[in-house]
């Protein structure tokens, strides 16, 4: 049975410069940040925002979202139970970027690696 098929869930949208996160309906509309009025980025169903003053974790969030990855713990329909790995600190992002340059991976592939 699909987890996300039965109920319409709100998803997380993020404004990285303002370090704000909102749960809004997934309706395809452009959602604007309440502070800077810039478009917010779709972060996925399972995003957990770091504390506002945690620079290392927000740098990792920015890198993940710029690489085109989302924070999804399940497959898009909710059937798969394999949580997706995402780096949590800027040091983990740097380590994965080094792996990407060594092994010839794209940045999004390297950021999705569980072990660097």
């Amino acid at each position: 049975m699909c987890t996300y098929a039965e109920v319409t869930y709100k998803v997380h949208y993020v404004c990285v410069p303002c370090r704000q996160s909102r749960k809004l309906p997934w309706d395809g509309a452009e959602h604007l940040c309440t502070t800077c009025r810039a478009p917010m980025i779709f972060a996925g169903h399972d995003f957990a925002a770091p504390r506002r003053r945690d620079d290392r974790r927000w740098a990792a969030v920015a890198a993940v979202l710029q690489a085109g990855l989302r924070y999804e713990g399940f497959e898009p329909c909710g059937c798969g139970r394999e949580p997706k790995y995402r780096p949590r600190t800027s040091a983990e992002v740097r380590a994965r970027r080094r792996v990407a340059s060594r092994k010839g991976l794209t940045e999004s592939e390297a950021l999705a690696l569980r072990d660097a």
Side-chain angles (χ1 to χ4, degrees), residues 20-89:
Q20 289 192 2
S21 172
R22 302 264 186 267
K23 285 184 84 170
L24 300 167
W26 191 19
D27 53 5
E30 183 178 87
H31 298 283
L32 300 177
C33 175
T34 56
T35 305
C36 68
R37 306 302 295 169
M40 296 182 85
I41 301 169
F42 171 64
H45 287 90
D46 301 318
F47 176 73
R51 294 187 184 268
R52 189 168 294 192
R53 293 182 182 185
D54 195 347
D55 297 331
R56 296 179 310 131
R57 292 188 191 255
W58 274 104
V61 167
V64 167
L65 294 176
Q66 286 174 354
L69 298 173
R70 302 290 172 255
Y71 290 88
E72 297 289 350
F74 299 117
E75 295 297 321
C77 69
C79 293
R81 299 288 181 195
E82 277 298 311
K84 307 291 187 245
Y85 174 79
R86 299 296 178 254
R88 300 175 96 179
T89 64

Side-chain angles (χ1 to χ4, degrees), residues 49 63 95-96:
R96 275 147 184 81

